[in-house]
Amino acid sequence: MTDTNNTGEKTLGAAPSKTLHLKRPVEQGVVRQSFSHGRSKAVVVEKVKRRIPGPGEAPSREAAPAPTVVLRPAAATPAVAPVAPRGPTSQAAVAKTTPTPIAPPKTGVVLHTLTEEQREARAKALVGARAREDEDRRRQEAEAKLRAERETRERAEREAADARKRDEDTRRAQDADFKRKTEDEARRRLAGGEPSATPAVTMARKPATSAAAPASPVGAASPTARALVADEEETKRVIRRPGAVIQPAKVVLPPRPTRGAEQRNRGRLTVTSATAGEEERTRSVAAFRRRTQRLKGHGLKETKEKLSREIVLPETITIQELANRMSERAVDVIKLLMKQGQMATITDVLEADTAQLIAEELGHTVKRVAESDVEEGLFDRPDEDGAPVPRAPIVTIMGHVDHGKTSLLDAIRKANVVAGEAGGITQHIGAYQVTAPGGAKITFIDTPGHAAFTAMRARGAKVTDIVVLVVAADDGVMPQTIEAIRHAKAAHAPIIVAINKIDKPDANPDRVSQELLQHDVQVESFGGDTLAVEVSATKHTNLDKLLEAIALQAELLDLTADPDRSAEGTVVEARLDRGRGPVATVLVQRGTLRVGELIVAGSQWGRVRALIDDSGANVESALPSTPVEVLGFSGAPEAGDRFAVVENEARAREVAEYRDRQKREKLSARGGVVRTSLADMMSQLKTAGRKEMPIVIKGDVQGSVEAIVAALDKLGTDEVGARVVHSGVGGVTESDVTLAEASKAVIIGFNVRAHKEARDLAERQGIEIRYYNIIYNLVDDVKAAMSGMLAPTLREEMLGNATILEVFNISKVGNVAGCRVTDGNVQRGAHVRLIRDNVVVHEGKLSTLKRFKDEVAQVQAGQECGMAFENYQDMRIGDVIECYNVEEIRRTL
Ligand code: GDP
Ligand code: MG
């Protein structure tokens, strides 16, 4: 075969224009090697193969010709490999692609298996062909010399190729013995064949084994092919590898189906078979490496030099984000997880522990951060150098219900309204500032209840400086008074006692002071240090004294704050306003809050659009201890949320998002999501039989909502309790209704109404929306509803006994007992017990009660009757039937 390509022969399909040649055992071909990455290159291959064709030759082990395959530089492929003589029937397979007359005969592709005749014909032609072959080769060699020039250019490459060839030579040497054996065997078998073939093959094999030598005399290619090569070399620079010299001739691999084991097994020498074998053997180094890598998995990945990174791990992280931070592929992370038996998708959230394992497995180091770190530096930043200035005390009024807290607050506020101010204070903002007679300012916050006060404290907001404890002089210390004292003490807030209602005739301030002693509150008149002022809210008596006392106490506390810093404070109340959006009443505790600043409170943030003070006036800034309404929040924060001014939007968003997540987690925990801690499980077990009344609460202000939630929480018992599915500020929305529907909850609107859409939806879904404006009514109603949920107490009421005298079997009805009522009476539909020898054998109901064939409702003592049981037949004479009623008794909380 020549070094020109061996494709197209099929398509050219014309009758061979040359005489048939016997193929020399040194075969050469150019194959195009395709790579997985889409490129391809041509490789010249040479194959030395011993072949003694003979009729009926069995497939020999020569079928593995690979070891004899030699890779050689394209330029050094002069060998003319005459085709094995073809039978006349194989004409179509032969075609000539090289027009050069001096081109060596072409080898064709055998497209089909040869018949026995063909093979014989070839065998016969072999002898003659061989001589011609030699001649051809000499001619080729001459041509090769002409090409010497060009060869020198490629010599360098070939030398490089030598290294690899030497390797192959050794391999080939190992095969030599095997080959020789095969030859011998073949020769023996083909004893009657052409004896000359064997020497030829042997001869050919020798140059072949050393064919790699660059200066090999058999190094000429047909001029045309050369031209082609040159052409391609210019247009396409192919990466060359030592030992695999590129010959970019336009060669395409022969069609696979036509070659293969079958042909090779027959030992026929064709380029196809030769190249087929060669192709397998000369897989490029890269291809081999790729293949082994494929088989090994991702071996390369491990060998690849890796950058170990420090991964910042929050408490939870998505797989995607983790992969990004490690600069790994997310699939690799998922694979690792799968190895641990955890199926995950890219968006799944991993816990920090799992994420750490993965990161460490992939060779990274981990830096765990708590999510709460985003809040770091948000609050309690140390004051700057600015000198702290005195600030107004923040006062909370607490006390038992109806002791006059609201009245007192109102009285103080009204007393402070500048005379002539139209309409007085129209705004109710939950906190306000008044001026004491001495000129000191005092800030009052209106807390709806003690629980809210504590809730604020629980959220880390120490708002109150002083607690004013209101005790009615006519009522004395009551449970909530004690509660208030506890709250105040827990908050380390000094108490000022306001003994209220001293205008009442039965007022007894001394009794109050005395009772307070029992609770560790010593008023001044009793030798303690607690200030006590006797006031009357309705009569406005001693209000200024109270304010003075507060101012005095504040002086003792030496309250200061630095106004020259970014503001921090607490949300006192928040609501959704129809026109103005979320409105939060905040108390600035440090620094100065200004319009236009970015502010974060709870899970909400926003840019301060406007500040409105307690008299309803727009202000530009708010100093420490000043309560103001803030407009501009994205949503209503919660009462007790701390707020802070942040430097940029990103920070605000980050903090708000973190807190939002926390809130949701808390909510889902409250919603009864299955928890995994043992303690939780135990408490769940304990309350498993508990009936719950799910409630959605919407209120006008956060304070009342919190108060309602707290009140409802207290209603609960071991058996029944209210579960607040959702609570919030604002009107009842469609989403509230949807939520209520999902959790089968009732909706309670406190001082709010449902939107029209929500109302319609609720009507459609049959969800009840109840409106209240008095918290006690609300609590009472919920209590009543929950009472209905308490399992009623069952009480048995004895009716009477009857003794069975006779048992009749009546078709269709079954057994009927004829009895006499011994005491009391027996009623139809009542519960009955069948007692035999003082043992209850059956409990059920009566199906029939007859007296002389008539169904009767009741049979009195002493009378006889017929009785039958529902689903029970086994009565006997002498049994006693006990008849009783069950009474259900509703229970209340
Ligand atoms: P709160 O539940 O503690 O807020 O108490 P309220 O402020 O609602 O007052 C309860 C009741 O006590 C109201 O009817 C008031 O009119 C009445 N009240 C409050 N302060 C005084 C007072 O100083 N003198 C008299 N006589 N009644 C008062
Ligand atoms: Mg009140």
Side-chain angles (χ1 to χ4, degrees):
M1 168 182 177
T2 69
D3 56 341
T4 53
N5 71 45
N6 52 5
T7 55
E9 290 172 342
K10 215 181 354 167
T11 49
L12 283 175
S17 57
K18 299 171 293 200
T19 46
L20 291 171
H21 296 263
L22 256 193
K23 185 184 264 205
R24 236 164 43 95
V26 177
E27 292 184 342
Q28 264 190 335
V30 182
V31 292
R32 187 158 285 275
Q33 199 174 12
S34 309
F35 298 94
S36 54
H37 51 72
R39 288 199 10 214
S40 64
K41 66 165 186 173
V43 178
V44 173
V45 295
E46 193 174 272
K47 177 178 169 183
V48 179
K49 190 165 172 187
R50 176 171 300 258
R51 170 78 183 102
I52 297 153
E57 181 196 45
S60 73
R61 273 165 296 173
E62 232 181 80
T68 66
V69 171
V70 184
L71 263 188
R72 49 187 312 171
T77 54
V80 178
V83 192
R86 264 181 207 87
T89 51
S90 65
Q91 88 301 53
V94 185
K96 190 176 120 188
T97 48
T98 316
T100 323
I102 51 157
K106 302 251 169 246
T107 311
V109 176
V110 175
L111 291 176
H112 56 85
T113 50
L114 298 173
T115 61
E116 289 300 305
E117 288 162 58
Q118 283 171 335
R119 226 177 288 149
E120 272 173 33
R122 278 182 205 192
K124 273 179 211 141
L126 196 60
V127 190
R130 222 167 281 288
R132 203 161 45 234
E133 217 175 90
D134 286 344
E135 228 175 53
D136 281 348
R137 200 184 65 191
R138 271 192 294 280
R139 209 166 52 218
Q140 291 293 321
E141 279 167 7
E143 277 173 15
K145 271 164 204 143
L146 293 175
R147 308 262 164 256
E149 233 180 285
R150 198 187 291 255
E151 276 169 41
T152 47
R153 250 198 294 144
E154 295 174 346
R155 187 156 300 155
E157 294 166 9
R158 286 198 295 272
E159 274 162 9
D162 280 350
R164 182 153 169 253
K165 292 219 179 75
R166 269 192 293 278
D167 282 354
E168 285 193 19
D169 283 349
T170 46
R171 231 192 316 143
R172 224 176 287 121
Q174 285 172 355
D175 283 322
D177 286 338
F178 168 73
K179 286 235 101 184
R180 221 187 314 282
K181 260 181 241 156
T182 321
E183 274 169 34
D184 292 343
E185 196 184 289
R187 211 178 302 139
R188 249 183 282 115
R189 228 185 289 159
L190 300 169
E194 306 80 352
S196 61
T198 311
V201 171
T202 327
M203 261 167 55
R205 208 166 51 90
K206 277 183 179 140
T209 45
S210 57
S216 164
V218 284
S222 92
T224 322
R226 285 267 130 240
L228 271 171
V229 170
D231 207 50
E232 276 214 26
E233 271 178 0
E234 268 161 33
T235 54
K236 182 164 133 200
R237 285 266 146 217
V238 194
I239 297 157
R240 292 170 184 207
R241 208 174 284 109
V245 180
I246 291 122
Q247 177 59 281
K250 288 177 178 125
V251 174
V252 178
L253 285 175
R256 276 182 175 272
T258 59
R259 61 146 208 262
E262 202 197 339
Q263 279 183 348
R264 268 181 279 131
N265 285 351
R266 288 210 188 107
R268 207 170 43 74
L269 274 176
T270 64
V271 165
T272 20
S273 59
T275 52
E278 183 265 353
E279 187 202 22
E280 269 175 15
R281 282 296 162 171
T282 56
R283 192 189 287 277
S284 75
V285 177
F288 184 74
R289 199 187 300 139
R290 275 194 302 278
R291 188 167 160 271
T292 45
Q293 273 161 14
R294 240 193 333 269
L295 294 174
K296 271 201 297 188
H298 288 274
L300 188 67
K301 197 151 231 76
E302 276 134 35
T303 57
K304 190 175 73 184
E305 199 185 325
K306 280 190 64 163
L307 282 173
S308 177
R309 287 160 207 277
E310 193 190 51
I311 314 296
V312 174
L313 272 191
E315 278 152 30
T316 58
I317 188 169
T318 62
I319 290 178
Q320 171 108 69
E321 181 57 28
L322 177 65
N324 278 349
R325 290 190 189 183
M326 296 188 298
S327 292
E328 303 277 354
R329 296 187 311 160
V331 258
D332 293 336
V333 176
I334 292 171
K335 261 184 210 160
L336 268 177
L337 282 169
M338 278 162 78
K339 267 188 212 158
Q340 295 166 6
Q342 186 180 345
M343 291 308 208
T345 61
I346 199 161
T347 50
D348 282 357
V349 176
L350 296 180
E351 295 213 326
D353 289 338
T354 318
Q356 181 169 2
L357 276 178
I358 286 169
E360 278 166 2
E361 189 138 323
L362 290 169
H364 303 285
T365 52
V366 164
K367 183 182 171 203
R368 292 275 285 267
V369 292
E371 249 193 312
S372 54
D373 286 1
V374 300
E375 287 189 333
E376 216 166 75
L378 191 63
F379 296 114
D380 304 324
R381 264 174 299 174
D383 288 349
E384 285 135 42
D385 301 335
V389 296
R391 63 170 176 89
I394 298 163
V395 179
T396 308
I397 294 188
M398 300 206 278
H400 192 71
V401 175
D402 280 352
H403 279 198
K405 297 183 295 290
T406 312
S407 308
L408 193 60
L409 266 171
D410 284 349
I412 292 167
R413 190 156 43 165
K414 279 204 189 89
N416 245 265
V417 174
V418 182
E421 193 179 307
I425 294 164
T426 46
Q427 298 268 337
H428 167 71
I429 72 166
Y432 55 87
Q433 211 169 42
V434 300
T435 312
K441 292 198 172 219
I442 299 165
T443 305
F444 284 93
I445 9 178
D446 204 354
T447 54
H450 307 155
F453 176 85
T454 305
M456 280 192 187
R457 267 203 321 112
R459 280 179 228 164
K462 188 186 179 299
V463 183
T464 308
D465 300 312
I466 297 165
V467 168
V468 170
L469 182 67
V470 178
V471 191
D474 61 338
D475 207 11
V477 172
M478 298 302 278
Q480 276 176 290
T481 313
I482 298 161
E483 203 179 275
I485 294 168
R486 295 225 181 97
H487 281 291
K489 291 217 182 239
H492 300 291
I495 294 172
I496 294 175
V497 181
I499 301 171
N500 195 24
K501 305 192 188 182
I502 48 155
D503 58 303
K504 281 204 164 187
D506 53 348
N508 189 352
D510 280 353
R511 185 172 67 113
V512 172
S513 302
Q514 197 135 28
E515 282 174 353
L516 283 171
L517 275 179
Q518 299 170 17
H519 301 283
D520 222 10
V521 177
Q522 289 151 352
V523 299
E524 275 181 323
S525 56
F526 279 68
D529 54 1
T530 305
L531 298 172
V533 186
E534 292 171 20
V535 295
S536 165
T538 43
K539 298 273 185 309
H540 289 213
T541 318
N542 282 343
L543 291 185
D544 46 355
K545 266 196 182 168
L546 177 64
L547 293 180
E548 262 171 45
I550 294 168
L552 187 72
Q553 180 70 57
E555 253 175 64
L556 289 174
L557 290 174
D558 190 23
L559 302 164
T560 57
D562 179 9
D564 301 325
R565 45 160 291 159
S566 61
E568 270 180 30
T570 302
V571 176
V572 176
E573 214 166 73
R575 65 177 189 277
L576 273 172
D577 189 286
R578 272 237 157 160
R580 300 184 295 171
V583 180
T585 303
V586 304
L587 195 62
V588 180
Q589 289 171 291
R590 312 166 89 181
T592 306
L593 181 64
R594 293 180 185 83
V595 171
E597 282 178 327
L598 276 166
I599 181 173
V600 181
S603 54
Q604 307 296 342
W605 67 280
R607 195 176 285 281
V608 178
R609 239 182 325 127
L611 293 173
I612 299 157
D613 72 4
D614 54 349
S615 63
N618 271 294
V619 291
E620 275 304 303
S621 61
L623 289 162
S625 289
T626 316
V628 275
E629 278 189 331
V630 175
L631 269 61
F633 272 110
S634 50
E638 284 177 31
D641 279 342
R642 298 180 76 191
F643 80 83
V645 168
V646 291
E647 59 276 17
N648 56 48
E649 224 179 281
R651 182 78 201 280
R653 216 183 282 274
E654 193 181 31
V655 174
E657 275 170 10
Y658 157 67
R659 291 184 171 172
D660 193 38
R661 265 200 306 282
Q662 279 207 320
K663 210 168 96 182
R664 255 177 304 167
E665 274 163 28
K666 235 188 255 170
L667 208 75
S668 68
R670 192 161 56 171
V673 170
V674 180
R675 311 307 303 273
T676 41
S677 89
L678 190 62
D680 285 336
M681 275 161 68
M682 283 171 75
S683 77
Q684 266 191 346
L685 280 180
K686 231 163 86 181
T687 56
R690 196 169 183 249
K691 284 185 184 166
E692 278 189 333
M693 179 174 174
I695 299 173
V696 172
I697 296 170
K698 292 306 280 281
D700 54 346
V701 291
Q702 186 66 39
S704 19
V705 172
E706 269 188 33
I708 292 166
V709 172
L712 293 183
D713 266 356
K714 274 191 203 142
L715 281 185
T717 65
D718 282 352
E719 276 181 75
V720 63
R723 181 163 63 94
V724 178
V725 180
H726 172 66
S727 66
V729 171
V732 179
T733 63
E734 277 176 281
S735 94
D736 295 330
V737 177
T738 327
L739 181 66
E741 195 218 344
S743 45
K744 297 185 168 50
V746 293
I747 300 171
I748 289 175
F750 187 78
N751 279 335
V752 292
R753 292 291 175 269
H755 302 166
K756 193 185 174 304
E757 299 78 26
R759 206 163 51 226
D760 293 346
L761 183 67
E763 235 162 68
R764 277 201 303 276
Q765 313 274 14
I767 306 286
E768 189 185 10
I769 303 179
R770 285 172 157 259
Y771 302 112
Y772 295 90
N773 45 21
I774 296 166
I775 194 164
Y776 303 107
N777 293 351
L778 187 158
V779 173
D780 284 349
D781 278 8
V782 172
K783 204 190 243 180
M786 288 195 325
S787 301
M789 290 173 76
L790 282 178
T793 311
L794 298 179
R795 206 169 63 187
E796 229 173 75
E797 192 198 351
M798 185 69 190
L799 289 175
N801 288 315
T803 313
I804 298 178
L805 306 174
E806 191 68 72
V807 175
F808 311 96
N809 191 304
I810 297 168
S811 57
K812 286 184 194 165
V813 179
N815 282 351
V816 174
C819 338
R820 174 179 290 128
V821 180
T822 51
D823 59 292
N825 61 54
V826 176
Q827 290 173 7
R828 187 152 51 101
H831 293 259
V832 283
R833 282 192 195 97
L834 187 66
I835 296 162
R836 187 174 301 154
D837 301 328
N838 294 322
V839 175
V840 176
V841 291
H842 173 69
E843 242 176 20
K845 282 194 164 185
L846 278 187
S847 64
T848 319
L849 180 62
K850 283 191 167 175
R851 183 155 163 75
F852 305 119
K853 301 201 170 175
D854 297 326
E855 262 315 302
V856 291
Q858 183 175 328
V859 179
Q860 297 298 328
Q863 294 179 331
E864 286 183 1
C865 60
M867 291 199 267
F869 292 101
E870 276 177 5
N871 311 317
Y872 190 79
Q873 305 294 333
D874 181 28
M875 312 88 136
R876 296 188 196 158
I877 296 167
D879 288 353
V880 172
I881 296 171
E882 187 183 285
C883 191
Y884 62 98
N885 265 336
V886 173
E887 203 181 2
E888 285 188 0
I889 299 167
R890 281 216 165 279
R891 287 163 61 202
T892 54
L893 288 166

